[in-house]
Each structure stands twice: as C-alpha cells, then as structure tokens.
Amino acid sequence: MIDGPYFVLTVLGVLGTGLVAGVFCAFSTFVMRGLAALPPAQGVAAMQAINVAAVTPAFMMVFLGSAVLCAVLAVVTFVLWPDEGTVELLLGSALYLFGSFGVTMVANVPRNDALMKLEPGTSEASAYWTRYVREWTAWNHVRMIASSAAAVCYVLALT
C-alpha cells in the first residue's frame, strides 16, 4: 500500500481532480444549458463575465495545482515504481494532464478567447454563440470525464 508523503500526494490528487471534475460537471449539466436558454446577447455577456471571474487565485490554485500535482505524481511513480498502484497513478496523471488540462488549453481556452473578442448583441456574436455553446460544452464533457476518471484512478491506487 502507498504510504508516507506519497500517500498524501495521492490523496491530494484525488481531492484536486475531484474538485475540478465537480466544477466541470456543473458547467456540463446546468450552467451551459442555462446560458444557452438566454437570448444570445445575454448568453455571450454572461459567459464573458464568467470567463473573467473564473481566473481567481482559488480556482487557479485547484486547477493548475492539480496539474502540477499530477505531474509530480507521474514523475515520482516513474522514479519509485511502486509495487502497487503504478498503473492507476500513471493513468490518473495522464487523464488529468491530457484530458483535462490539455483539453482546456487546446479546446476551451481558444473558444473563450474568441468569445471575449466579440461584442454582445452583434450579429457576429449571435452567430458564434450557438456554435460556441455546442463545441465548448462537448469539450467540457471530455474534461469532466477525464477529471472524474483521474480521481477514480487515484482512489484505486490507494486501495
């Protein structure tokens, strides 16, 4: 069984990836549906405000901190190569780093950046809004599943 500081890192990995999964779950299951139900100008303005508000120290500490923690867990696992939990630890780290953090950087953030450049209420913003909601939410589902699966992998590594 994993013990000592390695145990603490893994428990923190469960907590971090699980918290991020919860945020993504909220967006996938009701936040984006609520925003999509608004007139496009209001939806665009609301999402722009959310994107600005999301970049807080608390959220970034959990989101980026989890990425750093997953990277540390992967490196420590490669170095120590424990008798138990190796596959689960490496899989959990890969799921979060690529499926959550990576997808955020290559799929969700570029869409957010494009949305931020638009003026709510314009025909350009209205036209982009429908596609934005569909594509952003689809990629968010990927992030939610990957973060959840990472948390499960870390829990399995502890058992």
Side-chain angles (χ1 to χ4, degrees):
M1 178 169 190
I2 297 171
D3 59 358
Y6 202 25
F7 176 83
V8 173
L9 286 175
T10 306
V11 169
L12 290 173
V14 172
L15 182 61
T17 58
L19 285 169
V20 172
V23 170
F24 293 157
C25 181
F27 269 85
S28 282
T29 58
F30 60 86
V31 172
M32 293 308 289
R33 288 179 189 208
L35 294 176
L38 295 171
Q42 292 176 2
V44 169
M47 191 63 184
Q48 287 174 334
I50 289 169
N51 285 333
V52 170
V55 187
T56 63
F59 177 70
M60 297 312 286
M61 189 164 109
V62 173
F63 180 66
L64 295 175
S66 294
V68 170
L69 188 59
C70 289
V72 168
L73 278 166
V75 169
V76 170
T77 300
F78 273 118
V79 171
L80 296 179
W81 208 261
D83 293 333
E84 297 177 17
T86 301
V87 171
E88 294 87 349
L89 290 166
L90 293 176
L91 184 57
S93 294
L95 281 164
Y96 188 82
L97 290 171
F98 295 103
S100 182
F101 185 78
V103 166
T104 298
M105 295 301 114
V106 301
N108 294 87
V109 168
R111 285 170 175 77
N112 291 345
D113 291 344
L115 188 71
M116 291 302 287
K117 294 176 184 173
L118 301 175
E119 186 65 37
T122 64
S123 59
E124 183 183 17
S126 293
Y128 182 63
W129 178 242
T130 303
R131 189 175 90 225
Y132 172 89
V133 169
R134 184 182 68 252
E135 293 174 355
W136 191 97
T137 304
W139 284 112
N140 193 65
H141 291 339
V142 172
R143 300 188 306 170
M144 176 187 66
I145 292 165
S147 298
S148 299
V152 168
C153 286
Y154 288 151
V155 167
L156 291 174
L158 292 170
T159 60

